[in-house]
Amino acid sequence: MSEALVRPLKALSTRTYLWTAAAVLLLALPFYLDRFWLQAGLFAMAAALGAIGINLLTGATGQLSMGHAFFLAVGAYGYCVFAAEGGDGLTGLGLPTWLAAVLAVLVAGVAGGLFSPISGRLSGAYLGIATLALVFIGQHVMFNAHDLTGGANGRDVPPLNLFGLTFDDRELLVAAVPFGSAEKLWYAGLLALLAGALFARGVLRGRPGRAMNAIRDHRIAAGVIGVPVARYRAAVFVLSSMYAGLAGVLLALVFQRTVPDYFGITLSLEYLAMIVIGGLGSVSGAVAGAVFVSLLPQLLTRYSDALPLVSAPGTGGIAPGEASRYLYGAAVVLVVLFLPGGLVRVTARRRTRTLTEER
C-alpha cells in the first residue's frame, strides 16, 4: 500500500481511537464523579443544545437573535404544564413526561413559527431589537401568569419517566454505585446532545447549510440565484427555537424548579457569548463555547476560597457570577480581535499544520 494512502488511514484510525476513548470516558463519569460535577456537566449539555440552536440562526444564517432565553423558558415551563398533575393549584395536564417533553419542544417551535414572519423580513440590529422584545414579554408573562408559571417563586418540575425508569433522587444501584437524578439524567442529556449535534451537523453540511451560508454572506445574491431567503430564514428560526426548547426542558429537569429570573436578557447574552467564543457556524464551536461559559461561574463558585479577589457575595470581593461575566466578556473581546474563528479555529489550524507536516 502506498504511503499516500497509509497516512490518511493512520489519521482516521487515530481520530477513531480518540472519539472512542472520549465516549467511554463520558459514559463512565457518573460512576466516579460527585453530584456537583454531574450537575455542572448537565448544565453544559443543556447550554450546548441551546448554543447549537442559536449558532444555526446567527452563526450559519446571519440572523441576530437576542431572544433565545424566551424560547428556553417556553420549553421549561411548557414541560411543567404538560407533565404536572395540577394538584398544587397550578395548571397541569398530567401527560406522560416523555410526551410532555416532546410537546414542550414542539410548542417552542410553534412560538418560533409565530415570530418567523418577522424574522424572515428583518435583519441585523432590527431583528435583534425585535427578538429582545420577546424576553421582556416572556418575563412579564412568567411573573404574572401565576396559574401557568407559579409567579416569582416558580414551580416544581415533575421528574422524567422513561421506559419505567423515573429520573428522580430515589437511588438505583448500578454496579454497586447509587444512581440519583443527576446520574440518570446524565445519559439522557448525552443522548439528546448527540442527536442534536448530529442533526445540526447534517443540516450544515447539506444543501440547507449551503443555502444558509449564502444568505449569511450575501442575502441579495442568494435570492438572485434562487434561494428562497424569507422561507429559509423562517425555517431556521423555528429550528433554533426547538433547540432552545429542548435545552429548556433539560435545564428544568436538572434544576428541578423553574424560576422566571433565570430566563432574562443575561441568559440571551450568554448564548451569544458562547457562539462567538466557540466559533460561529460550527457545531463543535457551539459545544466548546457552551462548556466554557456555563462551567466558568460554577468553577469560580466552587473554588472561590482559593482564588484571589473572588469571594461569596457580600464579603467584599467579586462575586463568582460577576467574575465569570468579566472573564468571558474579556474572552469575547480577545476572540474577536485575535481569533475570529473562535476556539474551534485553534483545532482546525493544528489539524491543517499536522497534515502539512505529514506531506
Side-chain angles (χ1 to χ4, degrees):
M1 186 178 293
S2 65
E3 188 177 354
L5 293 176
V6 170
R7 286 176 180 171
L9 289 176
K10 286 183 177 179
L12 180 61
S13 61
T14 302
R15 195 179 310 164
T16 303
Y17 290 144
L18 290 175
W19 279 109
T20 303
V24 171
L25 177 62
L26 288 173
L27 291 174
L29 284 179
F31 291 92
Y32 300 98
L33 296 182
D34 60 25
R35 188 180 182 89
F36 169 82
W37 292 108
L38 291 176
Q39 285 189 334
L42 285 166
F43 290 145
M45 292 178 199
L49 283 168
I52 291 172
I54 197 172
N55 219 0
L56 290 173
L57 184 67
T58 301
T61 318
Q63 295 177 271
L64 176 63
S65 174
M66 300 284 287
H68 212 55
F70 170 80
F71 298 104
L72 270 89
V74 171
Y77 281 103
Y79 172 79
C80 293
V81 171
F82 287 125
E85 296 293 339
D88 52 358
L90 301 176
T91 302
L93 302 180
L95 298 177
T97 54
W98 65 268
L99 179 59
V102 173
L103 290 176
V105 175
L106 293 177
V107 168
V110 170
L114 294 175
F115 190 81
S116 62
I118 299 174
S119 68
R121 288 166 175 78
L122 296 180
S123 60
Y126 298 102
L127 179 60
I129 294 170
T131 54
L132 183 61
L134 290 175
V135 177
F136 296 125
I137 293 171
Q139 288 274 289
H140 178 77
V141 172
M142 283 184 283
F143 278 108
N144 293 281
H146 187 274
D147 291 343
L148 289 175
T149 66
N153 294 324
R155 62 182 297 171
D156 292 329
V157 179
L160 181 67
N161 188 293
L162 194 61
F163 304 120
L165 176 64
T166 303
F167 293 71
D168 57 9
D169 284 322
R170 286 179 291 184
E171 292 186 352
L172 172 70
L173 286 179
V174 179
V177 176
F179 268 41
S181 61
E183 288 82 2
K184 299 170 190 174
L185 282 172
W186 180 269
Y187 296 105
L190 278 180
L191 183 61
L193 179 56
L194 178 62
L198 290 177
F199 182 81
R201 188 180 182 188
V203 169
L204 291 176
R205 292 192 173 188
R207 183 176 178 180
R210 293 191 293 271
M212 290 156 59
N213 291 336
I215 294 171
R216 177 196 62 196
D217 296 335
H218 205 297
R219 178 174 56 87
I220 297 176
V224 169
I225 63 176
V227 176
V229 176
R231 189 187 310 167
Y232 263 100
R233 280 182 153 184
V236 174
F237 201 94
V238 172
L239 182 59
S240 174
S241 303
M242 294 178 71
Y243 270 93
L246 181 57
V249 172
L250 184 55
L251 275 174
L253 291 171
V254 177
F255 274 124
Q256 299 180 356
R257 188 170 184 84
T258 56
V259 289
D261 286 329
Y262 181 76
F263 302 100
I265 183 61
T266 301
L267 183 62
S268 291
L269 294 176
E270 286 178 356
Y271 274 101
L272 289 176
M274 291 175 194
I275 61 174
V276 172
I277 293 172
L280 293 172
S282 167
V283 174
S284 57
V287 175
V291 171
F292 176 81
V293 173
S294 62
L295 289 185
L296 186 59
Q298 298 182 67
L299 292 176
L300 290 177
T301 301
R302 177 85 170 192
Y303 299 107
S304 59
D305 294 338
L307 296 173
L309 303 178
V310 179
S311 62
T315 58
I318 302 175
E322 187 179 356
S324 65
R325 294 189 184 99
Y326 290 151
L327 289 175
Y328 65 67
V332 169
V333 174
L334 292 175
V335 165
V336 170
L337 290 177
F338 303 108
L339 196 64
L343 296 176
V344 72
R345 181 63 63 88
V346 177
T347 304
R349 285 179 179 175
R350 288 181 178 177
R351 188 181 304 168
T352 303
R353 188 181 306 165
T354 301
L355 292 174
T356 303
E357 292 174 353
E358 290 177 352
R359 292 174 183 173

